[in-house]
Amino acid sequence: MNGTHKPVHLAVYDTLADWETGHATAHLARAGYTGRTVAPTTAPVTSIGGLRVQPDLALADLRPEDSSLLVLPGADLWDTGDDLAPFARTARAFLAAGVPVAAICGATAGLAREGLLDDRRHTSAVSFYLAATGYAGGERYVEADAVTDRGLITAGPTEPVAFAREILGLLGVYEGEVLDAWYRLFHDSDPEAYAVLEKAGAA
């Protein structure tokens, strides 16, 4: 493992969608990335599945220069008020500093409200979900499982494996046919993909 990587920061907040980031965080950890959770405060939060998470740090203490990536999962709170708007503002700071951001499900709507999707290719659950935010980036919406554009990854709630593929590719954990095989194994249960990963020492 490479111990030189800066940590990957996973945003956690009440009602966060448990299933959306597991593939990414597990395989980043296997590649030597330390995962750290960041929340509105250091008080425990509860996921939509009822899991209680004790955050590593508060959002106010997170700096882009200390991170390899900020991951923003979906959560009911993205669509019920402005509680999570500070995370979208932090995403803006990360992108401005050249540090990538990955947003899935409801987090894409939060970034749309922040204006971060106005000039980037992106995707989400469906186009009209983002259109309801009133954002100006509708012409750049892409019907795809996941999209990466200038350091920003977006995906819909049914695509946690594609979301992870984009993250692993962006950070250089897997590339080329190995990255493709990883996706085929975990998305399609393709046994031939496992052979490719095993040969590459990535299984």
Side-chain angles (χ1 to χ4, degrees):
M1 288 188 179
N2 185 341
T4 63
H5 299 306
K6 293 179 181 178
V8 167
H9 288 91
L10 172 66
V12 295
Y13 19 70
D14 287 332
T15 73
L16 78 93
D18 312 74
W19 65 91
E20 293 175 345
T21 61
H23 285 88
T25 54
H27 288 270
L28 286 171
R30 293 186 69 179
Y33 285 89
T34 299
R36 300 199 72 201
T37 51
V38 56
T41 70
T42 55
V45 299
T46 304
S47 76
I48 201 169
L51 298 179
R52 185 177 169 89
V53 180
Q54 177 65 59
D56 292 312
L57 74 162
L59 184 61
D61 297 324
L62 176 62
R63 303 185 307 168
E65 58 265 34
D66 297 331
S67 184
S68 290
L69 171 73
L70 175 62
V71 182
L72 300 174
D76 292 344
L77 288 180
W78 283 111
D79 296 319
T80 58
D82 296 327
D83 289 355
L84 301 185
F87 285 91
R89 290 194 291 272
T90 298
R92 176 180 291 282
F94 266 61
L95 293 169
V99 182
V101 173
I104 185 169
C105 189
T108 62
L111 298 192
R113 294 184 191 98
E114 182 64 20
L116 294 174
L117 305 185
D118 290 350
D119 60 355
R120 285 180 172 86
R121 295 172 65 252
H122 59 275
T123 193
S124 184
V126 287
S127 59
F128 56 81
Y129 170 63
L130 291 187
T133 68
Y135 83 130
E139 292 184 355
R140 292 174 176 80
Y141 187 90
V142 180
E143 293 289 351
D145 53 13
V147 173
T148 301
D149 189 351
R150 288 178 293 138
L152 179 60
I153 295 168
T154 51
T158 61
E159 298 293 346
V161 180
F163 185 58
R165 178 197 65 207
E166 298 300 299
I167 290 172
L168 297 173
L170 184 65
L171 294 183
V173 173
Y174 302 132
E175 298 175 334
E177 70 170 2
V178 176
L179 181 62
D180 178 65
W182 182 90
Y183 177 74
R184 287 188 289 112
L185 176 63
F186 287 96
H187 188 267
D188 303 325
S189 301
D190 183 349
E192 293 182 5
Y194 182 81
V196 174
L197 294 176
E198 190 173 40
K199 182 178 179 182

